[in-house]
Amino acid sequence: MPVTSAEAALAMLRWQIAMGADEAIGEIAQNRLAPPPPSPNLAPITAPPRPAAPLASPSAARPSPARPSPAGPSIVAPPGALSESLAEAAQSARQLAAGAETIAALGALVAGFDLCPLKRTATNTVFIDGNPAAPIMLIGEAPGADEDRIGRPFVGRSGQLLDRMLAAIGLDRTGVQITNVIYWRPPGNRKPTTAEIAACLPFVLRHIALARPRVLVLCGGTAASALLPFSEGITRLRGRWFDLAVPGIDAPVPTLAMFHPSFLLRAPERKREAWRDLLALKARLDEQDAAG
Ligand code: URA
């Protein structure tokens, strides 16, 4: 059956989405099939034909120096410039976050914060879901496609699993508050960088200080390594309780690390350990209730 150009275009779009290229980041679509515009300032390059390089010679293995693109110079930044600007972002986030007296005010500051570059490619700021007055706080990694579209954390497939996990110990979103260590979706769902996490962390810490949770649950390795001073991975940290010192709160916050629901979707055989961690969470909450 002949393939129409519309079908071919659709197939190409689907392939791009499957490869993670699911964000349009330019205002105007680029026609990459159009011939490059003639460059009035450049004489045509008339380099003599190069002799064919022998296969696997030492020079063939050497990387060739970068050449400017024939379509015009691309803007480059010196190495370190981005992380310097992200360090400034972290500094500015610290100052802003310190001034928030309520979680709602903090959410408004996060929504207006323009110094994390992830915001430029995101559709929505994803700050909180659940009940901001709830004494149980869960922190995940970063919004995915569904969260970015809807503007709330954990509303996609991993959120549905999270809901089932909470229900297994008698909880739902009215009794917990949920946020992430990153408020904007990283393009293609890549892992957030250390600098991006550092730019959001002052807000996350202020959120914990304002929420004063009875327990804090860190879902996954990214949240655990952002908030705990250990270099071990989540497989070693999960199921352990930590007393987390948070600026602005006198008593340390009892903190449990767990597997991330999206990891459990990929590795259902690890649900047994997650179930043990949920029971440990329930036992801790029951102890706290009994102690009044
Ligand atoms: N994964 C996360 O870590 N957070 C979300 O909000 C959704 C998926």
Side-chain angles (χ1 to χ4, degrees):
M1 204 197 298
V3 177
T4 66
S5 60
E7 281 167 343
L10 257 180
M12 193 167 78
L13 275 174
R14 285 202 193 97
W15 180 80
Q16 286 180 335
I17 290 167
M19 294 296 112
D22 54 358
E23 300 287 344
I25 58 174
E27 293 288 315
I28 298 166
Q30 288 192 33
N31 181 358
R32 297 188 191 280
L33 303 177
S39 172
N41 301 328
L42 291 180
I45 298 168
T46 53
R50 283 197 281 160
L55 278 179
S57 75
S59 68
R62 226 179 284 141
S64 55
R67 290 157 181 262
S69 125
S74 51
I75 298 169
V76 294
L82 184 64
S83 50
E84 264 167 42
S85 68
L86 276 164
E88 280 164 28
Q91 172 66 15
S92 158
R94 254 190 301 281
Q95 281 164 2
L96 281 171
E101 294 301 334
T102 62
I103 292 174
L106 185 69
L109 288 174
V110 169
F113 185 69
D114 290 331
L115 298 183
C116 179
L118 292 174
K119 189 177 186 187
R120 280 183 229 136
T121 48
T123 307
N124 277 302
T125 300
V126 176
F127 179 61
I128 192 172
D129 199 35
N131 174 0
I136 303 164
M137 185 171 188
L138 281 80
I139 303 186
E141 180 175 312
D146 293 318
E147 290 76 18
D148 182 49
R149 190 167 39 81
I150 292 169
R152 288 191 286 120
F154 282 101
V155 291
R157 271 187 77 220
S158 61
Q160 288 159 16
L161 176 57
L162 182 64
D163 286 342
R164 291 200 296 279
M165 291 163 68
L166 292 173
I169 54 165
L171 293 172
D172 64 21
R173 293 195 188 211
T174 61
V176 301
Q177 52 184 305
I178 308 175
T179 190
N180 285 308
V181 289
I182 289 283
Y183 302 112
W184 298 279
R185 181 191 182 207
N189 292 346
R190 67 160 167 78
K191 283 245 172 264
T193 65
T194 311
E196 288 159 357
I197 292 170
C200 295
L201 199 60
F203 294 116
V204 178
L205 287 170
R206 186 70 186 143
H207 188 164
I208 303 171
L210 292 167
R212 292 178 179 265
R214 278 166 57 186
V215 294
L216 179 63
V217 180
L218 304 177
C219 301
T222 302
S225 64
L227 284 152
L228 299 173
F230 304 112
S231 55
E232 291 154 286
I234 190 65
T235 307
R236 288 188 174 275
L237 293 176
R238 62 142 281 278
R240 286 163 58 186
W241 285 94
F242 304 92
D243 285 326
L244 185 68
V246 176
I249 326 189
D250 303 334
V253 182
T255 299
L256 176 68
M258 282 189 59
F259 283 138
H260 193 287
S262 66
F263 170 72
L264 295 171
L265 287 171
R266 294 193 303 274
E269 71 282 3
R270 309 305 291 263
K271 284 185 181 168
R272 182 196 298 261
E273 291 148 279
W275 174 238
R276 279 208 294 271
D277 300 344
L278 285 169
L279 292 181
L281 172 61
K282 168 99 174 91
R284 185 75 172 229
L285 292 169
D286 289 347
E287 262 169 40
Q288 291 178 345
D289 286 340

